[in-house]
Every structure is written in structure tokens, then in C-alpha cells.
Amino acid sequence: MRAIVCRAYGPPEDLVLTEVAEPVAGPGQVLVRVHAAAVNFPDVLFIAGKYQIRIPPPFVPGNEIAGEVIGAGPDSPLRPGQRVFGPTMGAFAECALLDAASAGLAPDDVDFASAAAFGVTYRTAYHALRSVAQVAEGDWVVVLGAAGGVGLAAVDLAVAMGARVLAAASSQEKLELCRQRGAQATVDYEREDLKIRIRELTGDGARVVLDPVGGRYSEPALRALARGGVFVTLGYAAGTIPAIPLNLVLLKGITVRGMEIRTFTTDHPSAAARDIAELSEMFTAGKIRPYIGARFPLAETAAALRQVAERKVLGKVVIDVT
């Protein structure tokens, strides 16, 4: 089968498209013919050897797929022919393994690209909103990097939860998309003072900040939180991990929380199970659908990763595999 292979840590342009052996499903696994694979920012870190965990090269990157089951290992409840999606490693290939326990059944009226783009970003955003920040109806929720994968998912979900969303992003094109998805207020943090505008637009009432960006935007957003607010750090797409002055946390009674999708399920199994069930219900009912801003063929995976690395994409990027 064809697959994208990372032979040594480096930039996306070093990846190669080559023939590799088709994997074999083990106990509790299924072999999936991949129709679509979503691109996430951690994929850029994995191939650069900069993620929290390292996979020794050579390996096939990518961690989110949708496709059709073509083989099932022992003890798997799934069967050939079923349409599935879910997280895995080795997504940028014509076939990939998927743990049956973590797989979702794709609704018949949902295309493979949307199914692939749904899982990681929406689970990240929903765990952060529902379980970590405990967002309530009417809360002002500030979303940084609001037009990116996690950011736009957070906008969608916070709106669905009845919150008031202030979307912060770096261009008018991005902010217009956020408004179309239901954001009540927007800030262009490349051209406006983020702290002042958050306070003005929310009436000093921002209760939650979701930050998948980091860098120079984090501190002004934290300073704009209302007393007793919650700041949730989700990642550092800007490339810089910010240092937060702890006196701000003390003086305003702010709670700073971190949420990592890789460990949330094992650290908080009950909350994770509840969140995933609620999220699946919304997805199946058609209440939420990911916005796909760009699609690439498998041979152009490097270009897709480069766009994500440089934060040039609206919403999600999808690789059309087969």
C-alpha cells in the first residue's frame, strides 16, 4: 500500500510517499481502508521529534482517519463494510489500524472527510469546555486562534452550549468565518489591543479563555478574565510557550488549567466517557459539523502539513486518500 513515511525527524518537505507493507489487525483492532485523514498541529511536532512523546523513525504519521473496515482482528465488535472514524497512528496511508474501542460509526449522511475532521479537535474542545472550564449557558468564552482546528471546534461547541463567544484571530477573513459559526464578538489580535477589547466587548465579564495558541496572546487574554475566571491552555501553535506572572492568578483568583487529549481519557475516565457520548449524540444528530478549509491528495501531504504549521488554514485540513 502507499503511505507517507517519516524517515528522519525534520520538516514536512522531508516526508516521502512510498510503498509499505499493509498492517495486520490484532486483538480488538480493525484494518481500515482510509478514505480521508485529518491533519492536526501535533502531526507537525511528531515528524519534527518535538512532541511530548517520540516515535522512532521510520514511521507513518497522522492520527485521525475515516474509512471502511476491511478486516477485523480477534475480539473486535466491528465487521468489514462498516464506516468508521477515530484516532490512530499511521493515518497518512491507504490502510491503517484502528482500535475498535476508540472507533466511532460514521453516520450514513456524513462524508468521510467530515468524519475524519471531527474527532480530535472536537473532543479536545468539548473536554476543555464541558469538563475543565465547566462552561454554563450565558458565559462569555474567549477563544484564541478561533479559526483554527481546535479554535473553530470550540466556537461551534460553545455556541451549541448556549455560551456567548468572543473569537480572537489574526485576520478579518478568519473572524468572518467565526461570525458565520455563531461568535457574538470578534477581535483581530494582530491589529487590536486584545486585553482592552475583551474587556470592552464582554463588559469585564469574560469567564473562560481557551488558548490553543500560546505565544504573546496568552497573557493579555488572561489579564482580561473576570475575577474567578478560568484559563485553559491547550497547546502552543504560535511556537512559544508563554510564562504567566503568577501574581495575576493570585490577585484575580484565576484558575489556570491544562488539558491534553492524549491523557484526558485515562486521567478522567468518567468525565471523558460522558463527554464523548454527548459529543457523539450532537454529531449523529447533525447539530455540529466541522468546517473543512482545505483538502489535499495523499501525494501532497507535506503541503498540507506546511499550511497547518504556518497557521494558514481555516478550520480543518483533510487528506483525501482513496
Side-chain angles (χ1 to χ4, degrees):
M1 68 172 189
R2 296 186 309 152
I4 297 294
V5 176
C6 175
R7 291 177 172 168
Y9 294 136
E13 290 74 19
D14 288 351
L15 297 173
V16 295
L17 176 63
T18 188
E19 291 286 331
V20 301
E22 188 174 284
V24 177
Q29 293 181 319
V30 289
L31 179 64
V32 177
R33 185 178 307 285
V34 180
H35 286 266
V39 181
N40 296 289
F41 186 74
D43 297 327
V44 178
L45 301 180
F46 268 116
I47 65 172
K50 295 180 179 180
Y51 196 62
Q52 291 95 324
I53 57 174
R54 287 192 172 197
I55 301 175
F59 66 91
V60 177
N63 58 39
E64 193 170 18
I65 63 169
E68 181 182 354
V69 176
I70 57 174
D75 304 320
S76 171
L78 300 175
R79 295 292 176 263
Q82 289 183 295
R83 303 170 77 249
V84 295
F85 66 97
T88 187
M89 178 52 72
F92 300 153
E94 292 179 322
C95 295
L97 296 176
L98 187 61
D99 286 334
S102 62
L105 293 177
D108 291 338
D109 62 343
V110 174
D111 63 291
F112 285 117
S114 294
F118 172 72
V120 171
T121 53
Y122 279 81
R123 280 181 58 199
T124 299
Y126 198 58
H127 290 327
L129 292 165
R130 176 77 161 90
S131 293
V132 179
Q134 298 180 351
V135 169
E137 186 174 353
D139 283 346
W140 270 110
V141 176
V142 177
V143 182
L144 305 185
V150 172
L152 202 56
V155 171
D156 289 347
L157 291 168
V159 169
M161 296 167 73
R164 295 176 289 176
V165 176
L166 188 156
S170 60
S171 73
Q172 287 303 311
E173 180 187 17
K174 292 178 179 179
L175 295 177
E176 175 57 31
L177 175 60
C178 294
R179 287 189 287 268
Q180 292 173 10
R181 305 293 281 197
Q184 285 189 226
T186 57
V187 176
D188 182 339
Y189 49 41
E190 290 292 326
R191 296 165 181 83
E192 300 179 84
D193 187 304
L194 182 60
K195 180 185 73 172
I196 291 175
R197 290 298 286 148
I198 290 174
R199 288 178 171 174
E200 290 176 345
L201 291 166
T202 67
D204 285 333
R207 200 190 76 78
V208 175
V209 169
L210 260 59
D211 181 12
V213 180
R216 61 190 177 92
Y217 311 114
S218 300
E219 185 177 328
L222 185 142
R223 287 180 179 273
L225 271 172
R227 183 165 184 80
V230 181
F231 183 98
V232 186
T233 177
L234 299 172
Y236 311 103
T240 304
I241 300 174
I244 298 296
L246 287 179
N247 65 309
L248 299 177
V249 178
L250 182 152
L251 293 171
K252 300 183 72 170
I254 292 168
T255 299
V256 178
R257 299 279 307 270
M259 206 295 294
E260 184 194 19
I261 188 66
R262 185 176 60 89
T263 56
F264 185 83
T265 301
T266 54
D267 290 345
H268 308 282
S270 297
R274 178 203 62 201
D275 292 354
I276 291 170
E278 292 174 355
L279 195 56
S280 297
E281 182 179 348
M282 285 188 277
F283 185 53
T284 300
K287 295 179 180 178
I288 48 175
R289 286 288 184 271
Y291 178 87
I292 298 172
R295 300 173 72 155
F296 294 81
L298 184 63
E300 296 179 17
T301 297
L305 285 162
R306 174 55 61 194
Q307 284 209 8
V308 170
E310 296 180 355
R311 299 170 57 209
K312 292 182 177 179
V313 181
L314 302 179
K316 290 286 288 188
V317 177
V318 170
I319 305 297
D320 293 310
V321 181
T322 56

